[in-house]
Protein backbone atom coordinates (compact mmCIF):
# COMPACT_ATOMS: atom_id res chain seq x y z
CA UNK A 1 0.00 0.00 0.00
CA UNK A 2 1.04 3.57 -0.61
CA UNK A 3 1.20 5.39 2.75
CA UNK A 4 -2.29 6.37 3.87
CA UNK A 5 -0.79 9.09 6.07
CA UNK A 6 0.63 10.56 2.89
CA UNK A 7 0.66 13.92 1.19
CA UNK A 8 -1.80 12.92 -1.54
CA UNK A 9 -4.72 14.77 0.01
CA UNK A 10 -2.74 18.00 0.49
CA UNK A 11 -1.46 17.87 -3.08
CA UNK A 12 -4.73 16.69 -4.66
CA UNK A 13 -3.21 13.58 -6.25
CA UNK A 14 -3.93 9.83 -5.99
CA UNK A 15 -0.54 8.66 -4.68
CA UNK A 16 2.09 10.30 -2.43
CA UNK A 17 4.77 10.30 -5.14
CA UNK A 18 6.46 13.42 -6.47
CA UNK A 19 8.44 13.24 -9.71
CA UNK A 20 11.40 15.40 -8.73
CA UNK A 21 11.72 18.77 -10.38
CA UNK A 22 14.80 18.60 -12.61
CA UNK A 23 15.88 21.89 -14.16
CA UNK A 24 17.31 21.67 -17.64
CA UNK A 25 16.02 19.38 -20.36
CA UNK A 26 14.70 16.55 -18.14
CA UNK A 27 11.22 17.56 -17.02
CA UNK A 28 9.47 17.78 -20.39
CA UNK A 29 5.73 18.44 -20.52
CA UNK A 30 5.38 14.79 -21.61
CA UNK A 31 7.12 13.49 -18.46
CA UNK A 32 5.23 15.78 -16.08
CA UNK A 33 1.88 14.96 -17.69
CA UNK A 34 2.60 11.21 -17.74
CA UNK A 35 3.30 11.23 -14.00
CA UNK A 36 0.28 13.44 -13.29
CA UNK A 37 -2.03 11.28 -15.40
CA UNK A 38 -0.73 8.15 -13.63
CA UNK A 39 -1.68 9.63 -10.23
CA UNK A 40 1.57 11.20 -8.96
CA UNK A 41 2.66 14.82 -8.77
CA UNK A 42 4.70 15.89 -11.78
CA UNK A 43 7.06 18.83 -11.20
CA UNK A 44 8.52 21.31 -13.65
CA UNK A 45 12.12 22.26 -12.88
CA UNK A 46 11.84 25.95 -13.76
CA UNK A 47 14.91 27.22 -11.92
CA UNK A 48 16.65 28.35 -15.13
CA UNK A 49 13.51 29.41 -17.03
CA UNK A 50 12.63 32.97 -17.89
CA UNK A 51 8.96 34.00 -17.57
CA UNK A 52 8.19 33.35 -21.24
CA UNK A 53 9.62 29.83 -21.19
CA UNK A 54 7.71 29.15 -17.99
CA UNK A 55 4.43 30.31 -19.50
CA UNK A 56 4.93 28.30 -22.70
CA UNK A 57 5.94 25.13 -20.86
CA UNK A 58 3.05 25.41 -18.39
CA UNK A 59 0.67 25.80 -21.31
CA UNK A 60 2.20 22.74 -23.04
CA UNK A 61 1.75 20.67 -19.85
CA UNK A 62 -1.88 21.77 -19.62
CA UNK A 63 -2.50 20.50 -23.15
CA UNK A 64 -1.51 17.04 -21.92
CA UNK A 65 -3.12 16.85 -18.47
CA UNK A 66 -5.80 18.49 -16.39
CA UNK A 67 -4.24 17.12 -13.18
CA UNK A 68 -2.30 19.30 -10.70
CA UNK A 69 1.46 19.67 -11.07
CA UNK A 70 4.17 21.64 -9.25
CA UNK A 71 6.66 24.23 -10.43
CA UNK A 72 10.07 24.38 -8.75
CA UNK A 73 12.30 27.44 -8.34
CA UNK A 74 15.82 28.13 -7.10
CA UNK A 75 16.00 30.49 -4.12
CA UNK A 76 18.53 33.14 -5.20
CA UNK A 77 21.83 33.52 -3.40
CA UNK A 78 24.63 36.08 -3.43
CA UNK A 79 27.34 35.61 -6.04
CA UNK A 80 30.20 37.61 -7.45
CA UNK A 81 33.42 37.23 -9.44
CA UNK A 82 36.17 39.68 -10.31
CA UNK A 83 37.29 40.20 -13.91
CA UNK A 84 40.51 38.41 -13.02
CA UNK A 85 38.67 35.39 -11.58
CA UNK A 86 36.48 35.20 -14.68
CA UNK A 87 39.49 35.33 -16.99
CA UNK A 88 41.30 32.66 -14.99
CA UNK A 89 38.34 30.28 -15.26
CA UNK A 90 38.00 31.10 -18.96
CA UNK A 91 41.61 29.97 -19.47
CA UNK A 92 41.16 26.85 -17.32
CA UNK A 93 38.01 25.74 -19.15
CA UNK A 94 39.55 26.49 -22.54
CA UNK A 95 42.49 24.23 -21.69
CA UNK A 96 40.51 21.44 -20.03
CA UNK A 97 38.00 21.35 -22.91
CA UNK A 98 40.48 21.73 -25.77
CA UNK A 99 39.26 18.63 -27.59
CA UNK A 100 35.72 20.07 -27.83
CA UNK A 101 37.11 22.95 -29.91
CA UNK A 102 34.80 25.61 -28.51
CA UNK A 103 35.20 29.15 -27.32
CA UNK A 104 34.54 29.78 -23.66
CA UNK A 105 33.01 33.24 -23.24
CA UNK A 106 32.87 35.26 -20.07
CA UNK A 107 29.19 35.28 -19.05
CA UNK A 108 27.43 38.53 -18.17
CA UNK A 109 24.97 39.30 -15.40
CA UNK A 110 22.16 38.59 -14.78
CA UNK A 111 23.18 34.98 -14.40
CA UNK A 112 19.70 33.70 -13.53
CA UNK A 113 16.16 34.81 -14.42
CA UNK A 114 14.60 37.22 -11.90
CA UNK A 115 13.11 35.21 -9.05
CA UNK A 116 10.33 37.76 -8.40
CA UNK A 117 9.20 37.51 -12.02
CA UNK A 118 9.15 33.72 -11.78
CA UNK A 119 6.96 34.00 -8.66
CA UNK A 120 4.57 36.28 -10.58
CA UNK A 121 4.19 33.63 -13.30
CA UNK A 122 3.35 30.98 -10.69
CA UNK A 123 0.61 33.26 -9.37
CA UNK A 124 -0.69 34.38 -12.77
CA UNK A 125 -0.81 30.80 -14.04
CA UNK A 126 -2.58 29.65 -10.86
CA UNK A 127 -0.05 26.90 -10.20
CA UNK A 128 -1.36 24.97 -7.17
CA UNK A 129 2.00 23.80 -5.77
CA UNK A 130 5.37 25.54 -5.74
CA UNK A 131 8.55 23.87 -4.52
CA UNK A 132 11.95 25.39 -3.74
CA UNK A 133 15.53 24.37 -3.32
CA UNK A 134 18.74 26.19 -2.25
CA UNK A 135 17.17 28.09 0.64
CA UNK A 136 14.23 29.80 2.22
CA UNK A 137 12.38 32.28 -0.02
CA UNK A 138 11.79 35.79 1.36
CA UNK A 139 8.78 36.36 3.59
CA UNK A 140 7.38 38.68 0.90
CA UNK A 141 7.42 35.87 -1.70
CA UNK A 142 6.00 33.36 0.75
CA UNK A 143 3.18 35.73 1.75
CA UNK A 144 2.31 36.42 -1.91
CA UNK A 145 2.07 32.71 -2.73
CA UNK A 146 0.18 31.83 0.45
CA UNK A 147 -2.38 34.53 -0.27
CA UNK A 148 -3.27 32.51 -3.37
CA UNK A 149 -3.45 29.28 -1.30
CA UNK A 150 -0.50 27.83 -3.16
CA UNK A 151 1.01 24.81 -1.36
CA UNK A 152 4.70 25.42 -0.63
CA UNK A 153 7.41 22.75 -0.49
CA UNK A 154 10.95 23.43 0.76
CA UNK A 155 14.09 21.30 0.53
CA UNK A 156 16.19 20.44 3.60
CA UNK A 157 19.39 18.42 3.88
CA UNK A 158 19.60 18.57 7.70
CA UNK A 159 17.37 19.24 10.69
CA UNK A 160 18.55 22.84 11.04
CA UNK A 161 17.37 23.64 7.49
CA UNK A 162 14.08 21.82 8.04
CA UNK A 163 13.42 24.01 11.10
CA UNK A 164 14.17 27.18 9.14
CA UNK A 165 11.76 26.06 6.41
CA UNK A 166 9.08 25.07 8.92
CA UNK A 167 9.29 28.46 10.62
CA UNK A 168 9.09 30.24 7.26
CA UNK A 169 5.61 28.86 6.52
CA UNK A 170 6.31 25.92 4.18
CA UNK A 171 3.60 23.23 4.05
CA UNK A 172 5.75 20.20 3.21
CA UNK A 173 9.47 19.47 3.50
CA UNK A 174 11.53 17.34 1.15
CA UNK A 175 14.35 15.60 3.04
CA UNK A 176 17.15 15.34 0.48
CA UNK A 177 19.50 12.55 1.47
CA UNK A 178 23.13 12.45 0.39
CA UNK A 179 22.27 9.73 -2.14
CA UNK A 180 20.25 12.18 -4.22
CA UNK A 181 21.07 13.08 -7.80
CA UNK A 182 21.43 16.69 -8.84
CA UNK A 183 22.39 19.73 -6.85
CA UNK A 184 22.67 19.59 -3.11
CA UNK A 185 19.95 21.76 -1.64
CA UNK A 186 22.14 22.61 1.38
CA UNK A 187 21.92 26.27 2.33
CA UNK A 188 22.49 26.70 6.08
CA UNK A 189 25.85 24.90 6.29
CA UNK A 190 28.85 23.99 4.17
CA UNK A 191 27.69 21.38 1.65
CA UNK A 192 29.60 18.52 3.29
CA UNK A 193 27.74 18.99 6.59
CA UNK A 194 24.50 18.44 4.69
CA UNK A 195 25.58 15.06 3.36
CA UNK A 196 23.32 12.93 5.55
CA UNK A 197 22.07 9.57 4.30
CA UNK A 198 18.30 9.29 3.90
CA UNK A 199 18.03 6.60 6.57
CA UNK A 200 19.54 8.95 9.13
CA UNK A 201 17.84 12.12 7.87
CA UNK A 202 14.17 11.16 7.54
CA UNK A 203 13.50 9.92 11.10
CA UNK A 204 15.25 12.98 12.59
CA UNK A 205 12.99 15.29 10.61
CA UNK A 206 9.89 13.18 11.30
CA UNK A 207 10.57 13.39 15.05
CA UNK A 208 11.33 17.10 15.23
CA UNK A 209 9.26 18.74 12.49
CA UNK A 210 5.48 19.01 12.57
CA UNK A 211 5.11 19.11 8.76
CA UNK A 212 4.87 16.11 6.41
CA UNK A 213 8.32 14.91 5.35
CA UNK A 214 8.95 13.65 1.81
CA UNK A 215 11.97 11.36 1.35
CA UNK A 216 14.29 12.01 -1.62
CA UNK A 217 17.53 10.30 -2.58
CA UNK A 218 18.26 6.89 -4.04
CA UNK A 219 14.63 5.73 -4.17
CA UNK A 220 14.17 3.81 -7.42
CA UNK A 221 11.44 1.23 -6.82
CA UNK A 222 8.97 -0.15 -4.27
CA UNK A 223 11.76 -1.38 -1.98
CA UNK A 224 12.87 2.21 -1.54
CA UNK A 225 9.30 3.50 -1.34
CA UNK A 226 8.40 1.02 1.41
CA UNK A 227 11.62 1.85 3.28
CA UNK A 228 10.86 5.58 3.15
CA UNK A 229 7.39 5.00 4.58
CA UNK A 230 8.84 2.72 7.26
CA UNK A 231 11.07 5.63 8.33
CA UNK A 232 8.01 7.83 8.74
CA UNK A 233 8.03 9.72 5.44
CA UNK A 234 4.66 10.96 4.20
CA UNK A 235 5.74 10.73 0.56
CA UNK A 236 8.63 10.12 -1.79
CA UNK A 237 10.31 12.37 -4.35
CA UNK A 238 12.08 10.47 -7.11
CA UNK A 239 14.34 11.99 -9.75
CA UNK A 240 16.87 9.54 -11.16
CA UNK A 241 14.15 6.86 -11.48
CA UNK A 242 12.55 8.94 -14.26
CA UNK A 243 15.73 9.88 -16.18
CA UNK A 244 15.71 6.78 -18.39
CA UNK A 245 12.01 7.07 -19.25
CA UNK A 246 11.37 7.80 -22.94
CA UNK A 247 9.48 10.97 -21.87
CA UNK A 248 12.54 12.43 -20.11
CA UNK A 249 14.46 15.06 -22.05
CA UNK A 250 18.01 13.91 -21.26
CA UNK A 251 20.23 12.84 -24.14
CA UNK A 252 19.94 9.27 -25.39
CA UNK A 253 23.61 8.59 -24.74
CA UNK A 254 23.28 9.62 -21.08
CA UNK A 255 20.16 7.44 -20.72
CA UNK A 256 22.11 4.50 -22.12
CA UNK A 257 25.04 4.67 -19.72
CA UNK A 258 22.83 5.48 -16.74
CA UNK A 259 21.45 1.94 -16.88
CA UNK A 260 24.88 0.42 -16.21
CA UNK A 261 26.65 2.96 -14.04
CA UNK A 262 27.26 2.94 -10.33
CA UNK A 263 29.92 5.64 -10.22
CA UNK A 264 28.56 8.92 -8.96
CA UNK A 265 30.53 11.67 -7.32
CA UNK A 266 30.04 15.18 -5.98
CA UNK A 267 31.48 18.05 -8.00
CA UNK A 268 31.12 21.82 -8.20
CA UNK A 269 33.08 22.10 -11.45
CA UNK A 270 30.01 22.37 -13.67
CA UNK A 271 27.99 24.94 -11.78
CA UNK A 272 29.85 26.28 -8.75
CA UNK A 273 27.48 24.37 -6.46
CA UNK A 274 27.98 20.76 -5.44
CA UNK A 275 25.97 18.32 -7.50
CA UNK A 276 25.81 14.52 -7.58
CA UNK A 277 26.64 13.34 -11.08
CA UNK A 278 28.09 10.39 -12.95
CA UNK A 279 31.88 10.61 -12.90
CA UNK A 280 33.64 11.63 -16.09
CA UNK A 281 36.90 13.06 -17.37
CA UNK A 282 35.80 16.70 -17.06
CA UNK A 283 35.09 16.28 -13.33
CA UNK A 284 38.46 14.55 -12.79
CA UNK A 285 40.42 17.07 -14.85
CA UNK A 286 38.89 20.02 -13.01
CA UNK A 287 40.01 18.73 -9.59
CA UNK A 288 43.34 20.66 -9.55
CA UNK A 289 41.37 23.91 -10.01
CA UNK A 290 39.12 23.60 -6.95
CA UNK A 291 40.30 26.95 -5.60
CA UNK A 292 39.44 28.75 -8.84
CA UNK A 293 35.83 27.51 -9.21
CA UNK A 294 33.52 30.50 -9.46
CA UNK A 295 30.42 31.10 -7.36
CA UNK A 296 27.19 29.42 -8.44
CA UNK A 297 25.57 30.33 -10.84
CA UNK A 298 28.46 32.11 -12.61
CA UNK A 299 30.42 28.88 -13.06
CA UNK A 300 27.22 27.28 -14.35
CA UNK A 301 26.80 29.89 -17.07
CA UNK A 302 30.43 29.64 -18.08
CA UNK A 303 30.16 25.88 -18.69
CA UNK A 304 26.92 26.05 -20.72
CA UNK A 305 28.69 26.08 -24.13
CA UNK A 306 30.87 23.10 -23.29
CA UNK A 307 27.90 21.10 -22.01
CA UNK A 308 25.90 21.87 -25.14
CA UNK A 309 28.79 20.95 -27.42
CA UNK A 310 29.41 17.73 -25.49
CA UNK A 311 25.79 16.67 -26.06
CA UNK A 312 26.06 17.59 -29.74
CA UNK A 313 29.22 15.50 -30.08
CA UNK A 314 27.87 12.76 -27.78
CA UNK A 315 31.05 13.09 -25.75
CA UNK A 316 30.48 11.48 -22.36
CA UNK A 317 33.78 12.87 -21.08
CA UNK A 318 32.13 16.29 -20.84
CA UNK A 319 28.33 15.79 -20.71
CA UNK A 320 26.88 16.84 -17.35
CA UNK A 321 25.10 13.75 -16.05
CA UNK A 322 23.29 14.54 -12.80
CA UNK A 323 22.36 11.24 -11.20
CA UNK A 324 21.60 9.65 -7.83
CA UNK A 325 23.59 6.85 -6.25
CA UNK A 326 21.08 4.16 -7.22
CA UNK A 327 21.19 4.86 -10.98
CA UNK A 328 21.97 1.22 -11.75
CA UNK A 329 18.37 0.39 -10.78
CA UNK A 330 17.07 2.59 -13.61
CA UNK A 331 14.55 1.11 -16.00
CA UNK A 332 14.05 2.33 -19.55
CA UNK A 333 10.27 2.13 -19.52
CA UNK A 334 7.62 4.84 -19.65
CA UNK A 335 6.67 6.82 -16.56
CA UNK A 336 3.13 5.45 -16.76
CA UNK A 337 4.44 1.86 -16.85
CA UNK A 338 6.80 2.53 -13.93
CA UNK A 339 4.02 3.90 -11.76
CA UNK A 340 1.64 1.07 -12.78
CA UNK A 341 4.32 -1.43 -11.75
CA UNK A 342 4.81 0.29 -8.39
CA UNK A 343 1.03 0.43 -7.86
CA UNK A 344 0.75 -3.32 -8.49
CA UNK A 345 3.72 -4.20 -6.30
CA UNK A 346 2.40 -2.11 -3.44
CA UNK A 347 -0.94 -3.96 -3.57
CA UNK A 348 0.85 -7.18 -2.57
C1 LIG B 1 18.90 15.54 -13.27
C2 LIG B 1 18.46 16.10 -11.93
C3 LIG B 1 18.14 17.45 -11.85
C4 LIG B 1 17.67 17.97 -10.64
N1 LIG B 1 17.25 19.28 -10.59
C5 LIG B 1 16.58 19.72 -9.49
C6 LIG B 1 15.92 20.99 -9.50
O1 LIG B 1 15.92 21.71 -10.50
N2 LIG B 1 15.26 21.37 -8.37
C7 LIG B 1 15.21 20.57 -7.24
O2 LIG B 1 14.58 20.96 -6.25
N3 LIG B 1 15.84 19.37 -7.22
C8 LIG B 1 16.50 18.94 -8.31
N4 LIG B 1 17.09 17.69 -8.29
C9 LIG B 1 17.11 16.90 -7.04
C10 LIG B 1 15.79 16.16 -6.81
O3 LIG B 1 14.81 17.07 -6.35
C11 LIG B 1 15.91 15.05 -5.76
O4 LIG B 1 16.47 15.54 -4.59
C12 LIG B 1 16.72 13.86 -6.26
O5 LIG B 1 16.40 13.55 -7.60
C13 LIG B 1 16.43 12.66 -5.39
O6 LIG B 1 17.40 11.67 -5.60
P1 LIG B 1 17.30 10.56 -6.77
O7 LIG B 1 17.72 11.29 -8.00
O8 LIG B 1 18.24 9.52 -6.35
O9 LIG B 1 15.87 10.13 -6.85
C14 LIG B 1 17.59 17.15 -9.48
C15 LIG B 1 17.94 15.80 -9.59
C16 LIG B 1 18.37 15.27 -10.79
C17 LIG B 1 18.71 13.80 -10.87
Amino acid sequence: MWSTQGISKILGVRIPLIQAPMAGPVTTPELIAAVANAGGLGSLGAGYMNPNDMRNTISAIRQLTDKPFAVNLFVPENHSASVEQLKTMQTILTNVCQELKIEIDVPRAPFLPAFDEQIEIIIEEKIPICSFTFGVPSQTSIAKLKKQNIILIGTATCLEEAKLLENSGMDIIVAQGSEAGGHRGTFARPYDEGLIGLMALVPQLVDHIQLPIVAAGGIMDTRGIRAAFALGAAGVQMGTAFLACPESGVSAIFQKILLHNDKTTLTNAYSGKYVRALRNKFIENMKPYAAQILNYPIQNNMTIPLRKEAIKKENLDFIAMWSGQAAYLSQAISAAELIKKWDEELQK
Side-chain angles (χ1 to χ4, degrees):
M1 277 265 291
W2 291 96
S3 164
T4 48
Q5 313 296 315
I7 47 168
S8 325
K9 207 166 159 199
I10 308 174
L11 300 175
V13 294
R14 183 179 62 83
I15 52 173
L17 161 79
I18 303 177
Q19 161 255 306
M22 294 179 268
V26 192
T27 54
T28 59
E30 289 73 19
L31 177 64
I32 296 163
V35 172
N37 290 333
L41 183 77
S43 317
L44 172 64
Y48 298 123
M49 284 185 173
N50 62 39
N52 250 348
D53 290 345
M54 281 177 76
R55 252 198 222 100
N56 292 339
T57 313
I58 289 165
S59 154
I61 299 166
R62 286 189 168 142
Q63 309 271 317
L64 302 173
T65 185
D66 57 1
K67 299 279 190 299
F69 58 90
V71 173
N72 174 265
L73 298 179
F74 295 156
V75 177
E77 53 198 91
N78 293 335
H79 51 265
S80 64
S82 66
V83 173
E84 197 191 334
Q85 285 173 316
L86 288 165
K87 284 196 170 149
T88 305
M89 186 46 64
Q90 186 183 27
T91 309
I92 292 169
L93 289 173
T94 304
N95 290 338
V96 169
C97 303
Q98 243 170 16
E99 67 182 88
L100 287 177
K101 298 191 173 57
I102 44 155
E103 288 215 358
I104 302 288
D105 290 327
V106 171
R108 285 165 195 264
F111 301 102
L112 278 179
F115 184 70
D116 290 345
E117 290 176 18
Q118 293 177 316
I119 295 279
E120 289 307 324
I121 300 295
I122 305 251
I123 293 171
E124 276 171 38
E125 292 288 337
K126 299 192 177 6
I127 297 297
I129 300 140
C130 182
S131 65
F132 299 94
T133 187
F134 304 161
V136 183
S138 71
Q139 274 306 308
T140 316
S141 302
I142 292 178
K144 267 192 192 170
L145 295 164
K146 291 212 122 188
K147 206 169 155 203
Q148 308 300 321
N149 295 319
I150 296 171
I151 305 288
L152 304 183
I153 307 181
T155 305
T157 62
C158 58
L159 182 56
E160 183 188 351
E161 291 172 351
K163 285 186 176 162
L164 291 169
L165 289 163
E166 181 175 45
N167 293 337
S168 76
M170 293 287 137
D171 299 297
I172 293 172
I173 293 182
V174 170
Q176 189 191 41
S178 56
E179 304 90 334
H183 280 110
R184 302 299 306 150
T186 311
F187 60 90
R189 300 174 168 185
Y191 90 97
D192 55 330
E193 291 180 27
L195 288 173
I196 302 170
L198 202 61
M199 198 175 280
L201 183 62
V202 170
Q204 291 184 63
L205 268 52
V206 168
D207 279 2
H208 297 287
I209 300 291
Q210 304 310 311
L211 302 174
I213 303 299
V214 171
I219 304 173
M220 300 294 285
D221 54 30
T222 49
R223 290 168 294 182
I225 294 170
R226 283 184 208 271
F229 291 138
L231 295 173
V236 289
Q237 176 159 300
M238 299 162 74
T240 303
F242 292 103
L243 289 178
C245 294
E247 300 95 330
S248 127
V250 299
S251 61
I253 186 155
F254 171 21
Q255 284 187 321
K256 203 168 148 196
I257 71 154
L258 187 72
L259 300 173
H260 307 287
N261 198 307
D262 68 345
K263 290 188 191 141
T264 70
T265 187
L266 290 161
T267 179
N268 63 353
Y270 278 112
S271 72
K273 187 186 271 298
Y274 277 90
V275 68
R276 185 171 293 287
L278 298 185
R279 283 172 196 270
N280 65 6
K281 191 166 125 186
F282 175 74
I283 296 173
E284 287 308 310
N285 289 354
M286 285 297 285
K287 280 186 178 163
Y289 309 109
Q292 281 80 40
I293 300 287
L294 302 170
N295 283 174
Y296 167 88
I298 307 175
Q299 181 80 14
N300 185 65
N301 291 18
M302 218 170 194
T303 65
I304 287 173
L306 78 90
R307 286 185 275 153
K308 279 193 177 155
E309 189 63 18
I311 290 176
K312 212 165 109 193
K313 295 199 160 103
E314 299 201 324
N315 188 335
L316 289 169
D317 289 340
F318 295 90
I319 295 180
M321 298 178 283
W322 297 177
S323 161
Q325 284 181 324
Y328 218 115
L329 297 172
S330 299
Q331 297 176 66
I333 59 175
S334 76
E337 279 175 271
L338 269 180
I339 294 176
K340 185 165 172 267
K341 207 167 155 199
W342 299 336
D343 270 341
E344 286 167 4
E345 285 175 17
L346 288 173
Q347 296 297 330
K348 288 176 196 158

